[in-house]
Amino acid sequence: MLLNPQAMVSWFGDACQYPIHCDLTKKKSNQMCKNSQDVICSNAGTCHCGRCKCDNPDGNGLVYGKFCECDDRECIDDETEEICGGHGKCYCGNCYCGSGWHGDKCEFQCDITPWESKRRCTSPDGKICSNRGTCVCGECSCHDVDPTGDWGDIHGDTCECDERDCRAVYDRYSDDFCSGHGQCNCGRCDCKVGWYGKKCEHPRSCPLSAEESIRKCQGSSDLPCSGRGKCECGKCTCYPPGDRRVYGKTCECDDRRCEGLDGTVCGGHGTCSCGHCVCETGWFGKLCQHPRKCNMTEEQSKSLCESADGILCSGKGSCHCGKCICSAEEWYISGELCDCDDRDCDKHDGLICTGNGICSCGNCECWDGWNGNACEIWLGTEYP
């Protein structure tokens, strides 16, 4: 195909994209070159007949985009003068680091393996940063964080909490959480007495006053529904929904307390009754973990109960058949060698681990569906 030489000289540019002669007025041309902030060519180029010609002083084409909005010079490491320090790729002025590197310009190397980084960033539902953030060296950087707040809209160690789900109509600058009738807890509404619904939008009629309702739900416990349920019109709905291990008129029975960290009920040597183990003959202990008869010598038994400093059961318990029985007078002492203090575990509503987990040597081990330092965040199915 023959090209018309006259047509060729009517255009210029690397891709012949700019016409030499323009039929547009300067006002119309400039209007077409404005970015979303009404800045002509993002102050990084000149406007020619409605098209931006980006600055290119070094001839490397690092400024580009329809409105010259991308400036890959922002990706150049000041020390190495390489794009993203040579450890990533630059797109529109932002570095996307390779595995094991992080930082604005991929200048920092991660001190943990990629597998460990991924494990730490995996949310309870198995997604990396709940699909709401970016995993950087084992820590999630959540997307769409509101700069006006400490947490923003999306937060949590694995970005599992989205406060926007609590608003009837999402408005970043509105405090209309749970229709004004509840508290937002990790993106889920915990409704006040007398209200229900996903966003506490429906009123619930009840002949009892709020005080009467709470009194009926409290019973002999220090908290309504023993801190394990929701009180509505004098009746308790135990958490988690559908879990038959938590029951009773005031949710006073919690058979999860009969389970060890491995999930075994009463050590396999007893049955659970309202959160307490009833041991079989020949066994005793809170979880029926101690045999009454022992085939060890006293010396063998004590050697298994000594801590690194040679003290038997850390001086806070007695030794039986190679296992420490911590002092009952100090309820908070626990651990294999009675070396842990359960008072170090986080509390919520006055309860250690909020009653939704086991305190294991100062840290809360939450039961399924619960999360948070004190197991205070419910991430399971919707409340009924």
Side-chain angles (χ1 to χ4, degrees):
M1 181 177 69
L2 296 176
L3 297 175
N4 185 342
Q6 185 67 33
M8 292 177 64
V9 298
S10 300
W11 298 82
F12 73 101
D14 294 338
C16 302
Q17 70 270 43
Y18 306 111
I20 292 177
H21 302 289
C22 184
D23 296 330
L24 300 176
T25 63
K26 187 175 182 179
K27 182 178 180 181
K28 179 66 174 176
S29 175
N30 285 344
Q31 191 65 33
M32 293 173 65
C33 287
K34 288 183 178 181
N35 62 17
S36 57
Q37 284 79 41
D38 283 337
V39 179
I40 295 174
C41 299
S42 307
N43 285 334
T46 56
C47 183
H48 187 87
C49 202
R51 298 185 182 188
C52 287
K53 187 174 187 296
C54 302
D55 296 338
N56 191 19
D58 302 324
N60 48 22
L62 293 179
V63 182
Y64 58 96
K66 183 178 180 180
F67 302 108
C68 304
E69 70 275 14
C70 297
D71 188 350
D72 284 359
R73 292 174 298 185
E74 297 290 332
C75 293
I76 298 176
D77 188 282
D78 295 332
E79 294 184 7
T80 65
E81 296 186 352
E82 291 185 90
I83 296 288
C84 301
H87 306 297
K89 293 183 179 180
C90 183
Y91 177 73
C92 203
N94 294 294
C95 282
Y96 291 82
C97 305
S99 178
W101 294 87
H102 65 105
D104 291 340
K105 296 177 182 177
C106 307
E107 68 270 36
F108 301 116
Q109 191 168 15
C110 195
D111 58 357
I112 59 175
T113 64
W115 180 88
E116 177 63 15
S117 176
K118 181 179 179 181
R119 186 191 69 79
R120 294 185 187 182
C121 289
T122 301
S123 57
D125 59 3
K127 299 174 183 175
I128 302 298
C129 299
S130 306
N131 287 345
R132 299 190 186 109
T134 303
C135 183
V136 179
C137 201
E139 294 185 3
C140 286
S141 176
C142 302
H143 296 158
D144 195 24
V145 174
D146 189 341
T148 64
D150 292 334
W151 268 353
D153 295 312
I154 298 175
H155 62 92
D157 290 341
T158 56
C159 307
E160 68 274 14
C161 302
D162 191 344
E163 305 300 311
R164 296 174 298 184
D165 294 338
C166 290
R167 292 183 170 125
V169 177
Y170 175 62
D171 177 358
R172 169 179 293 238
Y173 302 102
S174 168
D175 289 328
D176 184 24
F177 287 109
C178 305
S179 308
H181 305 300
Q183 182 177 353
C184 187
N185 185 5
C186 194
R188 298 178 187 272
C189 284
D190 189 7
C191 302
K192 295 178 182 177
V193 174
W195 295 88
Y196 73 102
K198 188 174 182 181
K199 294 175 182 176
C200 307
E201 68 271 33
H202 302 299
R204 190 190 300 275
S205 59
C206 177
L208 302 177
S209 67
E211 292 77 13
E212 289 174 328
S213 176
I214 290 175
R215 192 160 48 246
K216 290 191 73 173
C217 287
Q218 191 164 333
S220 59
S221 174
D222 293 332
L223 293 170
C225 303
S226 308
R228 303 186 190 104
K230 179 187 287 187
C231 177
E232 290 182 324
C233 201
K235 293 185 178 180
C236 288
T237 300
C238 303
Y239 295 159
D243 192 336
R244 295 182 179 179
R245 293 174 299 176
V246 184
Y247 56 96
K249 186 176 180 180
T250 57
C251 305
E252 69 275 13
C253 296
D254 188 351
D255 286 356
R256 296 172 300 181
R257 297 191 173 279
C258 293
E259 298 177 5
L261 290 175
D262 61 356
T264 303
V265 176
C266 300
H269 307 296
T271 56
C272 188
S273 175
C274 196
H276 298 281
C277 284
V278 180
C279 302
E280 296 173 355
T281 302
W283 294 87
F284 71 102
K286 186 177 179 181
L287 296 176
C288 305
Q289 71 271 42
H290 301 297
R292 293 196 179 276
K293 292 184 179 180
C294 183
N295 54 10
M296 290 184 185
T297 65
E298 187 173 349
E299 187 176 339
Q300 288 175 325
S301 176
K302 286 184 177 181
S303 68
L304 295 173
C305 292
E306 288 182 354
S307 54
D309 55 8
I311 299 177
L312 202 67
C313 298
S314 306
K316 299 174 182 177
S318 58
C319 183
H320 175 78
C321 204
K323 291 186 178 181
C324 288
I325 302 175
C326 302
S327 172
E329 295 178 1
E330 297 176 293
W331 61 267
Y332 45 84
I333 300 300
S334 65
E336 290 184 5
L337 298 174
C338 302
D339 51 350
C340 298
D341 190 333
D342 284 355
R343 292 175 299 183
D344 292 336
C345 275
D346 288 307
K347 292 182 180 180
H348 185 72
D349 286 338
L351 293 174
I352 290 177
C353 303
T354 325
N356 300 318
I358 298 174
C359 183
S360 176
C361 215
N363 293 298
C364 289
E365 298 284 345
C366 304
W367 284 309
D368 288 344
W370 295 93
N371 199 1
N373 292 334
C375 306
E376 76 279 17
I377 300 172
W378 171 246
L379 293 177
T381 56
E382 295 288 342
Y383 290 138

